[in-house]
Amino acid sequence: MSSDPNTAPVVVGTGPVTPAEVVRVAREGAAVRLSGEALTAIAASRARVEELAADPRPVYGVSTGFGALAVRHIPPELRTRLQRGLVRSHAAGSGAEVEREVVRAMMLLRLSTLATGHTGVRPVVAETYAALLSAGITPVVPEYGSLGCSGDLAPLAHVAMAVMGEGTVRDAEGVALPAAAALEAAGIAPVELAEKEGLALINGTDGMLGMLVLACHDLRALLRLADVTAAMSVEGLLGTDKVFAADLQALRPHPGQAVAAANMTRLLADSPIVASHATPDCTVVQDAYSLRCAPQVAGAARDTLDHVERVAGRELAAAVDNPVVTLDGRVESNGNFHGAPIAYALDFLAIVTADLASISERRTDRFLDRARNHGLPPFLADDPGVDSGHMIAQYTQAALVTELKRLAAPASVDSIPSSAMQEDHVSMGWSAARKLRRALDGLTRVLAIEALTAARGLDLRTPLTPAPATAAVIATLRTRIPGPGPDRHLAPEIEAAVALAASGALVAAAESVTGPLG
């Protein structure tokens, strides 16, 4: 095994999978293997399931039907058909294909639960999941089908189909092909499911949890970018950095607020533009809320994210299945598959994502209004009237922000009963996760437009120069996007800024001066 932690396989079964490991497997294609402890635990719980399978008394999930059909006892000769049919019938998704990183995260987290020894599957089932991940084989999973209760049934069933050698997958190069062909090419034998196994593969919250973990990772980076763009706007709009002083922030001791304010102070350090108007004759008494309150908004978002990461950590340590095999060998029904804890967390993040975008758009708008931009040309145009400058970039931001506000409406307050009213309250956590992914993309675009506009505004403050940190951000933008001038095709410049924002290049440029931001 490689000694490089960035290329070494992720070992499942030595403790909860970490968020960093989820990112490595989902996005970087890291291989996966099971620990010896996991294989021992899996084998022990399987032995108990096989004892119960031989018992004439019905045991839910082992020798009965499912959901509202749990009243039927299934004889041994039909149980393989039962498990196979369960997976096939539940693989009922529809719509666009879910992203590869989401499917890989979902597979890893289902494998993590299998590795606890609480699901009763055979070791070969878990080993096959690990083999598919390591080979880069990704089942094709449609977007619609999960209600976020009884877990992500349909999405997980599409994954289980691939383990059986059925359905469609994409290989490591992204080529779509039948699962049977992909498994054969990789030397992986399809699994014929036995008692309990079909149910164990689909009854988890792994899809919504995988998307939550990835969203937390992305939002953490976007919060640093939000501080960078806010600092650029404060500087370009001739705002003050005095309001970010640590003693003022300490009067309201929210930890995230303190971090955001400290970031902005460091980003604006040694700014000739800020110093130019920090004089007794300055007539501005206080800045607009979108400038002055930036740490309060970004700080509250950080504190919300801290809470959500704690929820995700608990979920990563969980074993979600129904029924579950307990340490003393019981097989018990439970409600741990209900997605409410994850659904609420996903909706919380959608709210703060929308608000971060909203305050960013307000700062951009101030740059474009000559009544509020302190001497800059209208719309930052080269020749106002002939040129429109960044007028319509703000329209694009506004369109994104209104979409993010719509996406902030919680999915978790909805419930549509299913399975003949047996499953009469569901979480809609999968839907919450899908809309959060779209919201984070929107926030990235909004912040990129703010950075693009603020950079133009700061360039127009010449001969005054910006702070070293914000100047480094502008220099990075200028590697892809020219400075102020007559109107140009703006959409490619926005997309270039989005790419720099999404890659982390803008934050990295600032941190090359400030050191790591909080």
Side-chain angles (χ1 to χ4, degrees):
M1 186 178 71
S2 170
S3 60
D4 183 349
N6 294 318
T7 59
V10 168
V11 180
V12 177
T14 57
V17 172
T18 68
E21 289 172 332
V22 173
V23 172
R24 282 192 58 217
V25 171
R27 291 186 171 161
E28 300 167 23
V32 175
R33 69 174 179 85
L34 287 156
S35 69
E37 301 96 314
L39 291 169
T40 299
I42 293 168
S45 70
R46 182 62 197 177
R48 178 56 179 150
V49 167
E50 290 177 353
E51 288 176 15
L52 293 168
D55 194 314
R57 292 171 297 179
V59 177
Y60 177 69
V62 176
S63 54
T64 71
F66 310 110
L69 301 176
V71 294
R72 180 178 173 184
H73 182 262
I74 308 298
E77 64 272 15
L78 294 179
R79 289 177 191 169
T80 294
R81 174 183 161 191
L82 170 70
Q83 300 296 322
R84 184 174 60 244
L86 173 72
V87 171
R88 288 172 173 169
S89 67
H90 283 52
S94 182
E97 190 175 331
V98 172
E99 304 83 358
R100 178 178 186 267
E101 66 176 35
V102 171
V103 179
R104 286 183 62 84
M106 179 165 59
M107 293 170 70
L108 174 66
L109 296 175
R110 182 73 325 218
L111 177 60
S112 179
T113 284
L114 300 180
T116 65
H118 287 294
T119 67
V121 302
R122 292 166 295 158
V124 67
V125 176
E127 290 173 321
T128 304
Y129 268 71
L132 262 67
L133 284 166
S134 297
I137 296 172
T138 306
V140 171
V141 176
E143 181 170 15
Y144 299 109
S146 174
L147 303 182
C149 203
S150 286
D152 294 314
L153 288 173
L156 286 166
H158 281 274
V159 173
M161 285 275 288
V163 174
M164 294 163 46
E166 301 182 18
T168 303
V169 301
R170 291 191 181 274
D171 64 15
E173 285 70 48
V175 177
L177 70 166
L183 267 61
E184 182 179 6
I188 302 169
V191 174
E192 184 174 356
L193 300 178
E195 292 96 343
K196 176 71 171 66
E197 291 179 336
L199 192 58
L201 297 184
I202 67 175
N203 212 328
T205 53
D206 310 290
M208 63 184 101
L209 176 57
M211 285 187 275
L212 178 63
V213 172
L214 294 172
C216 287
H217 177 271
D218 294 344
L219 183 56
R220 184 64 68 183
L222 288 172
L223 282 165
R224 290 190 287 271
L225 178 60
D227 291 342
V228 169
T229 62
M232 294 173 72
S233 291
V234 167
E235 189 176 29
L237 290 166
L238 303 186
T240 179
D241 62 347
K242 293 180 180 178
V243 295
F244 309 135
D247 61 338
L248 297 179
Q249 304 304 314
L251 297 174
R252 195 184 193 192
H254 293 292
Q257 177 179 323
V259 170
N263 283 347
M264 293 186 67
T265 297
R266 293 162 65 194
L267 289 159
L268 292 170
D270 303 318
S271 168
I273 292 177
V274 171
S276 72
H277 58 89
T279 58
D281 60 343
C282 180
T283 59
V284 178
V285 177
Q286 57 185 10
D287 295 328
Y289 287 5
S290 59
L291 307 179
R292 193 181 355 148
C293 302
Q296 283 73 17
V297 173
R302 275 181 170 81
D303 293 340
T304 301
L305 178 56
D306 287 345
H307 163 71
V308 168
E309 287 176 335
R310 287 192 293 273
V311 172
R314 296 182 197 121
E315 287 291 319
L316 288 170
V320 176
D321 194 12
N322 180 52
V324 70
V325 182
T326 64
L327 292 176
D328 60 3
R330 300 180 349 263
V331 176
E332 298 283 3
S333 293
N334 65 91
N336 285 334
F337 51 74
H338 199 290
I342 306 172
Y344 298 160
L346 289 158
D347 281 336
F348 292 165
L349 291 191
I351 291 169
V352 301
T353 296
D355 204 38
L356 283 167
S358 180
I359 196 170
S360 170
E361 181 275 331
R362 288 293 79 207
R363 291 189 293 259
T364 299
D365 185 63
R366 296 188 76 81
F367 268 113
L368 307 181
D369 183 354
R370 70 174 178 177
R372 295 179 291 146
N373 67 15
H374 299 288
L376 295 171
F379 303 106
L380 306 184
D382 185 65
D383 184 359
V386 175
D387 295 311
S388 296
H390 276 212
M391 178 192 294
I392 307 304
Q394 183 266 333
Y395 286 37
T396 301
Q397 261 194 330
L400 286 161
V401 169
T402 198
E403 174 71 0
L404 265 61
K405 291 175 180 177
R406 186 184 69 80
L407 294 172
S412 57
V413 299
D414 188 24
S415 177
I416 298 179
S418 54
S419 194
M421 291 298 285
Q422 176 73 2
E423 299 167 6
D424 58 354
H425 184 274
V426 298
S427 77
M428 300 299 181
W430 176 274
S431 299
R434 297 305 296 165
K435 69 185 182 66
L436 177 58
R437 287 179 65 82
R438 290 192 289 275
L440 289 171
D441 175 73
L443 175 60
T444 305
R445 295 174 183 280
V446 169
L447 293 175
I449 292 172
E450 181 183 9
L452 188 65
T453 302
R456 187 179 178 99
L458 285 164
D459 281 345
L460 291 172
R461 294 293 181 192
T462 303
L464 292 172
T465 56
T470 54
V473 177
I474 296 170
T476 298
L477 286 165
R478 294 291 168 254
T479 64
R480 300 279 303 277
I481 303 159
D487 281 354
R488 303 181 294 262
H489 185 191
L490 197 51
E493 298 189 1
I494 290 173
E495 290 309 307
V498 170
L500 290 169
S503 71
L506 300 184
V507 172
E511 290 182 330
S512 70
V513 176
T514 64
L517 296 171

